[in-house]
């Protein structure tokens, strides 16, 4: 397992992997100009180091979808960008260990979520992530004013672009049509974990149906959303449950404190809400609705917010 070292200046030391060196060499060897080859080599290494670092933290990045991986653009542009799906683009600038400022090329000054400064030491097989800047369209960045790299994951999570998912048709569940994304509850939650109120809904009504779906809130926080619907006399009965992902521990896992589960009506008004405490094994909301009614379910955790849309 890769280990992370931290120096006294809150910079982070990260190894340069063999794969990163091979990629940098391959890109550089495509150019006859020593100046371009050196620039491409450094930029590629800086991007790969940041990619490795974010991957270890569970933050997805796609070097191959970045302009810095385009051999044609290597000839014309000094770019070291890293594409982060759903977030944006990070610029990963290689800098000399003694420099105080980093000049930002014109082609790298726009459409960037931030700039990470990287000192490369290939002889030692490691790189130092000095910090990052969120200054927009900078010409030059002062390295003394960088934010600590340890704060980068939280910053990126705050930029996460969560698009509303497809609309789930709850009325069709009772007719035998369930969207593929919704699984049988027992596949994700042990039966003994379900609260008595939810078990009562699923067994007391022959017309009742329940399904589950995993939600990833961050690299270390995965929950399971369970939705139950049953036909009442004139309305539909709904129960919404949120559980921590199942573990191998003998004791039931608990939700992290501070997760907010909300029901939002068609006008955008929050009509029900529950917030988890550190001792909660589940959150539960129940309500009745008319056929054809639309509502949204929101799960909030720190800077992340996920939305599921439903029609009864």
């Amino acid at each position: 397992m890769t280990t992370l070292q931290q120096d006294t200046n809150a910079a982070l030391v990260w190894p340069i992997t063999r794969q990163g060196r091979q990629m940098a060499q391959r890109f550089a060897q495509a150019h006859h100009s020593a100046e371009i080859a050196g620039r491409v080599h450094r930029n590629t290494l800086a991007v790969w180091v940041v990619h490795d670092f974010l991957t270890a933290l569970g933050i997805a990045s796609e070097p191959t979808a970045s302009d810095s991986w385009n051999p044609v653009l290597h000839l014309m542009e000094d770019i070291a960008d890293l594409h982060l799906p759903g977030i944006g683009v990070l610029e990963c600038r290689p800098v000399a260990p003694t420099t105080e400022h980093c000049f930002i090329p014109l082609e790298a000054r726009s459409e960037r979520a931030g700039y990470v400064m990287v000192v490369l030491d290939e002889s030692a097989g490691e790189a130092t992530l000095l910090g990052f800047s969120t200054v927009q369209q900078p010409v030059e960045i002062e390295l003394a004013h960088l934010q600590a790299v340890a704060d980068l994951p939280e910053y990126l999570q705050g930029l996460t672009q969560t698009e509303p998912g497809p609309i789930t048709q709850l009325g069709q569940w009772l007719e035998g049509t369930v969207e593929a994304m919704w699984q049988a509850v027992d596949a994700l939650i042990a039966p003994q974990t379900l609260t008595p109120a939810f078990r009562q809904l699923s067994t007391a009504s022959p017309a009742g149906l329940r399904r589950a779906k995993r939600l990833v809130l961050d690299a270390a926080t995965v929950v399971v959303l369970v939705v139950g619907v049953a036909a009442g006399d004139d309305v539909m009965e709904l129960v919404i449950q949120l559980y921590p992902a199942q573990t191998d521990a003998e004791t039931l896992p608990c939700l992290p404190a501070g997760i907010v589960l909300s029901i939002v009506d068609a006008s955008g008004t929050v009509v029900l809400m529950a917030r988890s405490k550190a001792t909660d094994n589940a959150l539960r909301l129940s309500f009745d609705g008319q056929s054809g009614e639309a509502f949204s379910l929101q799960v909030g955790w720190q800077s992340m917010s996920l939305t599921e849309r439903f029609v009864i």
Side-chain angles (χ1 to χ4, degrees):
M1 178 180 293
T2 300
T3 57
L4 184 68
Q5 300 175 359
Q6 186 167 357
D7 67 23
T8 55
N9 296 318
L12 296 173
V13 178
W14 197 260
I16 300 175
T17 64
R18 179 181 179 182
Q19 186 177 5
R21 292 195 300 270
Q22 290 175 340
M23 189 66 66
Q25 291 169 1
R26 181 164 68 86
F27 280 157
Q29 289 171 355
H31 302 284
H32 299 295
S33 167
E35 180 182 355
I36 295 177
R39 183 190 73 206
V40 170
H41 184 90
R42 292 188 298 273
N43 286 351
T44 303
L45 278 183
V47 171
W48 193 263
V49 166
V50 176
H51 163 68
D52 271 344
F53 169 65
L54 295 178
T55 299
L57 297 179
I59 300 174
S61 60
E62 296 180 347
T64 58
S66 310
D67 288 345
S68 58
W69 244 241
N70 186 328
V72 176
L73 294 180
H74 290 167
L75 291 168
M76 302 175 289
E77 298 184 348
D78 180 3
I79 45 178
D81 65 320
L82 177 61
H83 176 67
L84 278 57
I87 296 177
V89 174
L90 274 182
E91 185 73 17
C92 312
R93 300 304 306 180
V95 295
T98 57
T99 190
E100 296 180 354
H101 301 84
C102 177
F103 174 77
I104 305 299
L106 179 63
E107 55 267 30
R109 294 177 191 172
S110 61
E111 300 180 350
R112 297 297 192 264
Y115 297 80
V116 182
M117 303 298 150
V118 183
V119 174
L120 300 169
D121 187 347
E122 290 192 69
S123 61
E126 63 185 27
T128 301
L129 306 177
L130 294 180
F132 71 101
S133 173
T134 60
V135 175
Q136 295 298 302
Q137 297 186 332
V139 175
E140 196 172 62
I141 293 176
E142 294 186 33
L143 303 189
H145 295 162
L146 295 176
Q147 300 180 55
V149 172
D151 296 331
L152 182 60
E154 181 178 359
Y155 167 70
L156 295 177
Q157 289 170 13
L159 298 179
T160 301
Q161 304 161 7
T162 55
E163 298 293 335
I167 297 175
T168 298
Q169 304 285 342
L170 293 177
Q172 293 183 6
W173 284 17
L174 300 180
E175 299 173 0
T177 302
V178 179
E179 294 85 353
M181 70 187 73
W182 293 94
Q183 302 180 50
V185 175
D186 292 350
L188 299 178
I189 294 290
Q192 66 271 22
T193 305
L194 295 173
T195 63
F198 207 106
R199 292 200 297 267
Q200 182 179 5
L201 172 80
S202 63
T203 58
S205 173
L209 189 69
R210 55 190 178 131
R211 288 291 184 266
K213 182 180 183 181
R214 285 168 59 91
L215 301 179
V216 179
L217 302 184
D218 63 27
T221 310
V222 180
V223 295
V224 177
L225 174 65
V226 182
V227 176
V229 57
D233 293 336
D234 299 314
V235 296
M236 296 286 190
E237 302 173 10
L238 293 103
V239 174
I240 310 295
Q241 292 272 16
L242 196 68
Y243 292 91
Q246 196 67 37
T247 68
D248 295 330
E250 294 182 0
T251 57
L252 294 179
C254 292
L255 290 167
I259 291 182
V260 177
L261 178 64
S262 306
I263 304 297
V264 182
D265 66 17
S267 68
T269 302
V270 176
V271 294
L272 288 173
M273 178 185 293
R275 183 187 297 271
S276 66
K277 301 185 292 294
T279 55
D280 286 337
N281 298 118
L283 288 180
R284 176 181 181 271
L285 296 173
S286 60
F287 58 100
D288 296 337
Q290 300 286 341
S291 178
E293 267 189 88
F295 70 93
S296 296
L297 185 150
Q298 293 181 351
V299 180
W301 166 240
Q302 296 181 349
S303 59
M304 171 70 76
S305 178
L306 298 179
T307 300
E308 297 285 338
R309 297 184 295 167
F310 300 89
V311 171
I312 300 173

